[in-house]
Amino acid sequence: MLMLVSAGLAAFTDLMDESAQSPGAVEEILDRENKRMADTLASKVTRLKSDSDFTSVTGLLTGSVKRFSTMARSGRDNRKLLCGVAMGLIVVFFILSYLLSRART
């Protein structure tokens, strides 16, 4: 916050110095300051959007891990189902890797 105030004060000082020299200088200084502040704001918005995307992915993964852990800790029937699904995924992985290796040659 202090940096913004000092930057604004410096721009105001420049404005006062140049306004005595040329009437168009005031508009030019204000335009430059406006563009600089717009660029700063755009970079902050971009950074916030990327943080938001990362947070949503983290939340999704955390929820999936919690559901998986709950299912694994529950009764014997769920363990059998979990092992069956895991074995099925492993078999599908090997079949796809075999088919892809055959397609390349």
Side-chain angles (χ1 to χ4, degrees):
M1 180 74 176
L2 182 60
M3 186 174 74
L4 290 175
V5 171
S6 64
L9 184 60
F12 180 73
T13 305
D14 290 343
L15 179 67
M16 294 306 290
D17 290 343
E18 289 187 22
S19 66
Q21 297 171 2
S22 168
V26 173
E27 290 179 18
E28 184 179 331
I29 291 171
L30 288 175
D31 191 43
R32 279 190 301 202
E33 185 67 16
N34 190 26
K35 286 179 182 178
R36 185 190 64 79
M37 292 178 82
D39 290 341
T40 303
L41 182 61
S43 68
K44 287 180 182 180
V45 168
T46 303
R47 190 175 31 200
L48 284 174
K49 282 184 179 179
S50 66
D51 289 347
S52 175
D53 292 343
F54 182 73
T55 302
S56 66
V57 169
T58 303
L60 179 66
L61 289 175
T62 302
S64 298
V65 169
K66 284 182 183 178
R67 284 191 298 274
F68 181 79
S69 298
T70 302
M71 190 172 84
R73 279 183 275 155
S74 63
R76 181 178 170 166
D77 292 335
N78 282 340
R79 286 192 198 131
K80 286 182 182 179
L81 177 65
L82 185 62
C83 287
V85 169
M87 292 301 290
L89 289 174
I90 291 170
V91 168
V92 167
F93 173 76
F94 281 115
I95 290 173
L96 287 175
S97 64
Y98 173 75
L99 291 174
L100 288 175
S101 67
R102 297 276 295 178
R104 288 184 195 159
T105 58

